[in-house]
Each structure stands twice: as structure tokens, then as C-alpha cells.
Amino acid sequence: MIKVQNISKKLGAKLVLDEVNFSLKKGGITAIIGANGAGKSTLLSLMARLLPLDCGQISFDDLDTGKTPSDVLAKKISILTQSNYISARLTVLQLVMFGRFPHHKGRPQKADHAHVAKILELMELDEIADRFIDQLSGGQQQRAYIAMILSQDSDYILLDEPLNNLDMKHARNIMQSLRKIADEMNKSIILVIHDINFAAAYSDLFIALKDGKIIVQGSVDEVMTEGNIELIYDMQVDIKTIDGKKHAFYYT
């Protein structure tokens, strides 16, 4: 279980998060939604210990992120940020194997190679595994970085805008893969995402931020109403159900 208790955060003079509290049971996909500047990425960075807490506490399965050693935490949570850059010239295979480091400590074993091979196939990267990262398109690079995070095999996977640089087809494939991982491997996936229709199609829960506060949270059906979406984004929408999934249609 994830517990986020009384989290506030200032960046400079600006209060970015203001007394954020929530808990999440293990498993499934939770989408953190909200307009630009709502505090979504800051919240995810605090959960991953990329930023120091000003106050409050965050724990994963009763492991306090402020007190747990990094090597222990690396087997519990993994994160993909929006800005990913590796200066070393690595192949896709080498990058994804790098994600296994908390397990193999630099000495990959047969089980590590087998796990990486499974992830490469899942992310449709097996045919370009020997290509260098800097030779790939933006979408292929994004899938490679996601594969690296998945190969870490942590219980909790934090993804900040994982659909960046992806066309509609590959964005759908990524979300389908994440759904499969959550369901079949009992992983907890928490992602920041702007495309609310992709989020609604594949997520279980929404946490909506506005001005650094949680203004609504719950199941997709509970949150995905015209009143809630208009409150979150300050714009008028129509919500329609198509093939059992809710979709937001924005007025221009």
C-alpha cells in the first residue's frame, strides 16, 4: 500500500503542493491528472524521493521513503521522469539491462537475461535490441526508457508522461502493455498523464490535482463526469460512453 500523508512542497516562493493526502491499495493503474502547473510531476518526484520532502511522510508497504536505504527502495519503486538523457552510447539491450542493476549488481545472470528478453518483446523492441539509443526515433527511445523501468521489476512503477513522443498507435500499445503488467504481474502503476481519454480507457483510479490540492479522486466512473472534468480543467466538456469507456469531448 502507498500512503501519502500531509505532503506540502514549496519550489522557491511558490507553494506547489498543499497538504496532499491519499492512500492506494497495491495493484492496478492510478492516473494523476490535472492542468499544467497543478503539481502532478512534483508529487511523483516526491514519491520517488527525487525531491526532498518539506513536511509529511510517504511510504510504500510501510517503508518510509525518507528512511529506507536506496538499494532497498530501488527494488520497491522505479520511476521514469519526463527528461531522460544518457550520455553513454548504449544499445537498447544494454539500456534495458541497466534497469536490472538493483538485482544483478553489475553481474547479470541467466534470470536477468530472460527477464530483459521478456520486457523487450513486450515493448516491441526485440527486433531493434542491438541498435544504439541515439539512432532511434523519439517514440522508440521513449519505449526503450519505459522498458528499462519495467526491467527493474519493482512492485511500484511511477511514470511521468510516459506517452511523450508517441504516436496514437504506440501510445495505445504502451497503455495496453501497462494494463497487462498491472493485471498479470500485480504491479502498481502510478502515472502522470495529460490525455484523459487514454487515462480513462486503461486506468482504475484518478487522482485530480488543481493548484497543488487534490480536488477529486476515485474510480474512473466517479471522476469522469462533466462537472468534475470542467472543475479540474476550467473548460466545458461532454462526457460520452463508447464501448463501455468514458470519453471527454472538448468544446473548441
Side-chain angles (χ1 to χ4, degrees):
M1 174 178 280
I2 302 173
K3 293 182 180 179
V4 174
Q5 299 171 291
N6 301 318
I7 297 303
S8 295
K9 182 66 180 177
K10 279 188 174 181
L11 295 178
K14 182 180 180 182
L15 183 62
V16 180
L17 293 172
D18 187 6
E19 296 186 4
V20 171
N21 290 273
F22 64 87
S23 61
L24 295 172
K25 293 180 179 179
K26 195 170 184 179
I29 298 177
T30 299
I32 301 175
I33 62 173
N36 289 340
K40 305 183 298 298
S41 294
T42 300
L43 174 58
L44 210 68
S45 293
L46 290 171
M47 292 172 67
R49 207 167 68 176
L50 297 181
L51 289 174
L53 290 169
D54 289 350
C55 63
Q57 184 183 48
I58 299 173
S59 63
F60 292 81
D61 296 337
D62 295 325
L63 293 177
D64 186 332
T65 60
K67 300 176 181 178
T68 304
S70 295
D71 60 338
V72 175
L73 205 60
K75 292 182 180 180
K76 182 61 63 174
I77 63 175
S78 55
I79 183 166
L80 181 70
T81 63
Q82 289 188 50
S83 301
N84 304 294
Y85 176 74
I86 293 179
S87 58
R89 196 156 195 252
L90 301 176
T91 65
V92 173
L93 176 60
Q94 290 170 330
L95 178 69
V96 178
M97 183 60 75
F98 182 73
R100 292 292 298 167
F101 188 83
H103 302 273
H104 62 58
K105 304 295 185 182
R107 296 183 178 181
Q109 304 298 312
K110 185 176 180 180
D112 297 303
H113 288 285
H115 184 79
V116 166
K118 182 173 73 171
I119 295 298
L120 287 170
E121 182 178 1
L122 178 67
M123 300 303 294
E124 300 178 356
L125 294 167
D126 46 325
E127 294 184 359
I128 58 171
D130 294 327
R131 290 179 59 184
F132 288 102
I133 295 297
D134 60 6
Q135 296 175 332
L136 305 181
S137 68
Q140 289 172 327
Q141 288 182 7
Q142 183 73 352
R143 285 189 284 136
Y145 283 117
I146 293 173
M148 177 185 68
I149 296 304
L150 296 180
S151 75
Q152 193 171 325
D153 199 24
S154 59
D155 293 330
Y156 298 91
I157 300 166
L158 313 181
L159 303 172
D160 194 357
E161 290 293 340
L163 306 186
N164 276 354
N165 300 315
L166 298 178
D167 59 29
M168 187 177 296
K169 175 184 176 182
H170 285 112
R172 179 204 62 188
N173 291 350
I174 290 293
M175 293 303 296
Q176 287 176 340
S177 297
L178 294 177
R179 184 72 261 175
K180 184 176 181 179
I181 288 165
D183 292 340
E184 297 182 6
M185 300 172 68
N186 195 31
K187 301 296 186 183
S188 298
I189 299 173
I190 301 92
L191 56 88
V192 170
I193 186 169
H194 277 293
D195 192 317
I196 195 169
N197 289 323
F198 267 125
Y202 295 99
S203 302
D204 302 294
L205 300 172
F206 276 163
I207 294 175
L209 291 175
K210 186 174 184 178
D211 299 326
K213 293 178 177 288
I214 294 178
I215 59 169
V216 63
Q217 61 180 314
S219 69
V220 171
D221 283 341
E222 290 171 336
V223 175
M224 198 76 165
T225 68
E226 291 171 359
N228 282 336
I229 300 305
E230 290 171 6
L231 175 65
I232 296 164
Y233 294 101
D234 291 324
M235 63 184 300
Q236 193 174 6
V237 298
D238 276 336
I239 303 294
K240 298 185 182 299
T241 301
I242 302 173
D243 294 331
K245 300 292 184 181
K246 288 193 173 183
H247 296 261
F249 292 87
Y250 302 91
Y251 288 94
T252 57

